[in-house]
């Protein structure tokens, strides 16, 4: 590319910028909200994955959103390898000022402004005439440029926008100082041929289009988000917007891991390079699933449990003779490894720390001590401790930063003869409290005991248990969703004892609810 981009300088012609919006568009989907500590963990993992731009949130949406974007700019944003930290804004002055303030601390920062341009959105959502929308685009980009050199402008519902008007808006935004122009397929309506047509048109018709980065942002309502992303690249786009596991509004966004592996595997047809370290993909995918409580479906490309599993005998035979017969990518290239034996109960703290490091966890001494204690406990109870067990255990431990309510112990009496009874100890704000409760089964008794110690109005709306590995002695991993006055939170817990994992998950969700209560209602997320 001939021009100098404010954040990336002069880019090679075949370089694709990877814009991750897991923490913004992804987090926007119901049930996927994360607290600040969780967002920072994800931001660190995304940085190690090698994303170029990280959309950290929508600062005007709520004080919590503002704080998390700011915290990311002040932490991850200071690393030498930090991506550009981006905050989303509508066109209003308050939005832009809030976004500018949130990303301020990051040496490399971006404000991303979006504005609807389709006839439907302008008439019914904005209630504005096209010429006024055009002026708003110019004014908002001009204002944002007073705070940052790197401004992205998005034509919301761009794929359903009148082509002439789209070209006028893009030209005006470029003239006002936008350095990236994004044409979102906001409602997931476009086909790959539409993407080719739209971006070819912009490149041919809009003066200045060669001096900015064109970007694509696709939703998956028709299951075409990744296909549309690839078509857009083939039509000249040099930034793709995507999320881990494809999370996002409604059917989600283009899945980052799928787009990356499609580019890598079919480099003959999509001959572009990027900075993603693909071996980290699985770890980041799993981290997101643990934090949000939503596992990907088993047949999900790249990161699903079955993505590289061969069931049919004829396939197994072929793969044993030559992996290429039925595998188009190496499982290791995205982070899959054979389950490996960890250490026994005699392993020391240093070996434990080393093992965690190879799994991608570097944790402080206090957390390490807690995790080590739980590992010893697990190794006492479980014959074989696998990598997956350690990941579940450490994730469970790390999640518990700054929690007001902590699990201490649980004693259960259950069976088919008597009502179940739970004796529960929780630490609430540093004070250990005990309750004894009965219930219709051990889970009910346990949750009733938590209710006694910490009375609350939340309803349990989802409860699911899975096994971390195989075998009857496998650790259990539980997800719990609580709902209180329309607010939804998810909690996770892992333990060799199924009911203890459920108790940990419930306590985790309760802690998240307390944080959520402190956050004010988010503003409507439309322009
Ligand atoms: O889908 C969309 O239009 C968006 C914009 C904010 C870029 O997410
Ligand atoms: Zn979107």
């Amino acid at each position: 590319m001939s021009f100098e981009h404010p954040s990336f300088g002069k880019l090679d012609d075949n370089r694709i910028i990877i814009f991750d919006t897991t923490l913004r568009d992804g987090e926007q989907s119901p049930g996927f909200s994360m607290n600040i500590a969780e967002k920072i963990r994800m931001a660190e993992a995304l940085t190690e994955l090698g994303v170029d731009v990280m959309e950290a949130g929508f600062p005007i949406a709520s004080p919590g959103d503002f704080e998390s974007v700011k915290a990311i700019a002040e932490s991850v944003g200071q690393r030498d390898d930090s991506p550009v930290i981006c905050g989303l804004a509508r066109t209003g002055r308050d939005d832009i000022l809030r976004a500018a303030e949130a990303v301020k601390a990051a040496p490399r920062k971006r404000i991303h402004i979006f504005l609807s341009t389709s006839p439907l959105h302008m008439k019914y959502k904005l209630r504005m005439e096209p010429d006024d929308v055009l002026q708003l685009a110019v004014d908002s980009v001009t204002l944002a440029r007073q705070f940052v050199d790197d401004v992205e402008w998005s034509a919301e519902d761009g794929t359903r926008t009148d082509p002439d008007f789209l070209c006028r808006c893009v030209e005006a935004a470029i003239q006002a100082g936008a350095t990236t122009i994004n044409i979102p397929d906001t409602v997931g309506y476009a086909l790959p041929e539409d993407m080719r047509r739209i971006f070819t048109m912009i490149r041919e018709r809009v003066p200045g289009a060669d001096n900015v980065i064109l970007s694509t942002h696709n939703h998956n309502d028709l299951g075409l988000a990744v296909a549309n992303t690839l078509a857009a690249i083939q039509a000249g786009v040099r930034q793709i917007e995507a999320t881990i596991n494809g999370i996002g509004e409604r059917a989600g966004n283009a899945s980052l891991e799928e787009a990356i592996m499609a580019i890598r595997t079919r480099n003959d047809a999509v001959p572009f390079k990027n900075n993603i370290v693909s071996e980290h993909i699985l770890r980041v995918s799993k981290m997101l699933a643990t934090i949000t409580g939503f596992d990907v479906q088993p047949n999900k490309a790249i990161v699903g449990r079955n993505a590289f599993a061969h069931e049919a005998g004829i396939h197994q035979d072929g793969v044993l003779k030559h992996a290429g017969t039925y595998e188009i990518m190496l499982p290791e290239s995205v982070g899959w490894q054979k389950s490996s034996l960890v250490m026994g109960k005699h392993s020391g703290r240093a070996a434990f720390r080393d093992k965690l490091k190879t799994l991608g966890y570097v944790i402080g001494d206090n957390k390490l001590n807690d995790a080590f204690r739980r590992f010893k406990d697990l190794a006492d109870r479980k014959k074989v401790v696998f990598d997956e067990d350690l990941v579940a255990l450490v994730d469970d431990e790390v999640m518990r930063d700054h929690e007001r309510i902590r699990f201490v112990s649980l004693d259960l009496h259950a069976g088919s003869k008597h009502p179940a009874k739970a004796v529960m100890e929780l630490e609430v704000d540093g004070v250990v409290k005990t309750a004894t409760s009965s219930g219709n089964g051990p889970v009910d008794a346990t949750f009733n005991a938590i209710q006694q110690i910490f009375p609350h109005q939340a309803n349990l709306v989802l409860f699911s248990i899975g096994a971390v590995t195989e075998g009857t002695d496998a650790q259990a991993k539980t997800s719990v969703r609580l709902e209180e006055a329309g607010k939804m939170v998810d909690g996770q817990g892992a333990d060799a004892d199924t009911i203890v994992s459920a108790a940990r998950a419930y306590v985790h969700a309760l802690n998240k609810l307390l944080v959520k209560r402190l956050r004010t209602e988010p503003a409507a997320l439309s322009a």
Side-chain angles (χ1 to χ4, degrees):
M1 274 169 211
S2 51
F3 65 93
E4 292 265 330
H5 186 273
S7 294
F8 302 109
K10 209 162 164 319
L11 282 167
D12 286 347
D13 279 345
N14 63 348
R15 169 83 151 85
I16 299 285
I17 300 294
I18 308 298
F19 177 110
D20 178 88
T21 183
T22 307
L23 299 178
R24 198 281 297 169
D25 217 337
E27 206 239 3
Q28 223 163 285
S29 47
F32 280 84
S33 59
M34 300 171 226
N35 62 32
I36 294 190
E38 291 165 343
K39 282 192 180 175
I40 290 181
R41 277 181 66 209
M42 275 305 297
E44 278 164 358
L46 289 167
T47 302
E48 278 139 33
L49 181 65
V51 305
D52 299 294
V53 185
M54 185 190 302
E55 189 162 53
F58 188 3
I60 195 84
S62 73
D65 273 67
F66 173 81
E67 287 308 332
S68 46
V69 179
K70 186 163 174 282
I72 289 173
E74 286 168 355
S75 56
V76 178
Q78 306 302 311
R79 289 168 57 148
D80 289 343
D81 60 350
S82 168
V84 173
I85 306 295
C86 172
L88 182 68
R90 292 167 297 187
T91 48
R93 191 179 169 77
D94 289 350
D95 274 54
I96 293 171
L97 261 53
R98 200 80 172 135
E101 184 61 26
V103 297
K104 192 165 79 186
R108 296 170 76 223
K109 46 186 165 280
R110 171 180 297 188
I111 296 177
H112 175 191
I113 297 171
F114 70 105
L115 173 63
S116 289
T117 51
S118 66
L120 210 62
H121 277 223
M122 289 192 292
K123 183 165 177 197
Y124 294 104
K125 197 179 92 170
L126 298 181
R127 294 178 199 285
M128 285 173 74
E129 291 302 320
D131 281 347
D132 298 326
V133 170
L134 192 78
Q135 190 57 47
L136 206 49
V138 171
D139 293 346
S140 54
V141 172
T142 308
L143 177 62
R145 278 301 303 260
Q146 291 178 13
F147 303 101
V148 290
D149 293 334
D150 185 341
V151 172
E152 172 169 336
W153 183 78
S154 279
E156 193 187 6
D157 206 15
T159 52
R160 294 194 299 169
T161 296
D162 168 70
D164 290 338
F165 185 61
L166 185 62
C167 287
R168 282 177 66 206
C169 287
V170 169
E171 183 178 351
I174 295 174
Q175 273 177 10
T179 48
T180 295
I181 296 290
N182 183 39
I183 311 295
D185 184 28
T186 304
V187 291
Y189 176 77
L191 302 177
E193 67 204 55
D194 296 322
M195 306 313 284
R196 289 196 193 94
R197 179 180 43 77
I198 291 169
F199 286 106
T200 306
M201 172 189 77
I202 290 176
R203 293 178 66 208
E204 284 174 1
R205 286 182 44 188
V206 177
D210 284 348
N211 293 329
V212 293
I213 291 181
L214 296 179
S215 166
T216 189
H217 173 115
N218 297 298
H219 281 269
N220 207 27
D221 301 65
L222 294 174
L224 291 171
V226 172
N228 286 342
T229 302
L230 299 178
I233 296 175
Q234 288 170 326
V237 151
R238 291 296 170 264
Q239 173 177 285
I240 64 172
E241 304 198 351
T243 60
I244 301 295
N245 296 346
I247 68 169
E249 285 277 13
R250 306 179 310 278
N253 288 56
S255 138
L256 187 143
E257 61 278 9
E258 290 175 22
I260 292 298
M261 292 317 287
I263 296 170
R264 199 151 293 187
T265 308
R266 292 305 311 274
N267 213 249
D268 55 326
V270 199
F272 295 94
K273 57 178 190 179
N274 56 69
N275 278 352
I276 296 294
V277 185
S278 65
E279 290 75 10
H280 285 211
I281 283 178
L282 189 67
R283 178 169 95 82
V284 185
S285 159
K286 288 198 165 179
M287 180 184 285
L288 181 66
T290 304
I291 287 175
T292 58
F294 288 101
D295 273 335
V296 298
Q297 81 267 21
N299 62 326
K300 163 86 172 66
I302 319 294
V303 291
R305 181 160 32 92
N306 292 350
F308 294 91
H310 303 279
E311 182 72 19
I314 204 163
H315 287 205
Q316 288 174 350
D317 183 54
V319 169
L320 286 176
K321 288 178 176 145
H322 189 294
T325 49
Y326 289 99
E327 274 179 5
I328 56 167
M329 310 162 256
L330 288 177
E332 303 82 46
S333 69
V334 295
W336 287 101
Q337 285 167 356
K338 291 237 170 333
S339 286
S340 66
L341 195 59
V342 179
M343 309 148 283
K345 58 181 172 184
H346 301 298
S347 310
R349 193 181 311 261
F352 179 71
R353 188 197 291 267
D354 271 3
K355 183 72 195 176
L356 289 188
K357 215 166 149 198
T358 63
L359 292 172
Y361 291 89
V362 181
I363 55 178
D365 282 346
N366 288 346
K367 284 263 160 252
L368 186 85
N369 289 345
D370 291 345
F372 185 63
R373 202 170 12 80
R374 283 185 63 185
F375 158 69
K376 286 285 192 186
D377 193 36
L378 185 67
D380 262 343
R381 291 197 274 167
K382 194 171 182 294
K383 276 190 264 155
V384 201
V385 180
F386 293 101
D387 285 356
E388 289 91 330
D389 287 313
L390 275 192
V391 167
L393 185 152
V394 176
D395 276 342
D396 189 86
E397 203 54 56
V398 173
M399 267 175 336
R400 289 170 205 288
D401 260 349
H402 315 299
E403 288 192 341
R404 279 184 60 196
I405 313 169
R406 287 173 176 274
F407 174 87
V408 179
S409 74
L410 175 65
D411 197 11
L412 270 174
H413 303 270
S416 57
K417 287 195 175 160
H418 306 286
K421 192 175 115 189
V423 183
M424 178 75 147
E425 279 187 312
L426 294 179
E427 189 185 297
V428 181
D429 295 328
V431 181
V432 175
K433 300 188 172 183
T434 309
T436 302
S437 191
S438 58
N440 187 13
V443 174
D444 192 39
T446 301
F447 290 179
N448 288 342
I450 298 176
Q451 174 71 251
Q452 258 189 52
I453 296 177
F454 196 87
H456 55 276
Q457 302 299 321
N459 298 315
L460 178 69
V461 290
L462 185 144
F463 176 71
S464 77
I465 300 182
V468 174
T469 55
E470 289 166 9
T472 49
D473 66 347
Q475 277 195 95
K477 202 171 153 192
T478 304
S479 293
V480 156
R481 181 177 295 172
L482 298 179
E483 184 271 337
E484 185 190 70
K487 294 190 182 79
M488 212 91 89
V489 286
D490 290 281
Q492 285 76 46
D495 198 274
D497 185 297
T498 307
I499 310 300
V500 171
S501 87
R504 287 182 174 278
Y506 197 103
V507 167
H508 184 221
L510 213 47
N511 277 297
K512 283 173 110 175
L513 197 61
L514 297 182
V515 175
K516 205 153 200 176
R517 278 185 194 163
L518 296 176
R519 289 164 82 169
T520 54
E521 284 295 318
L525 298 186
S526 54

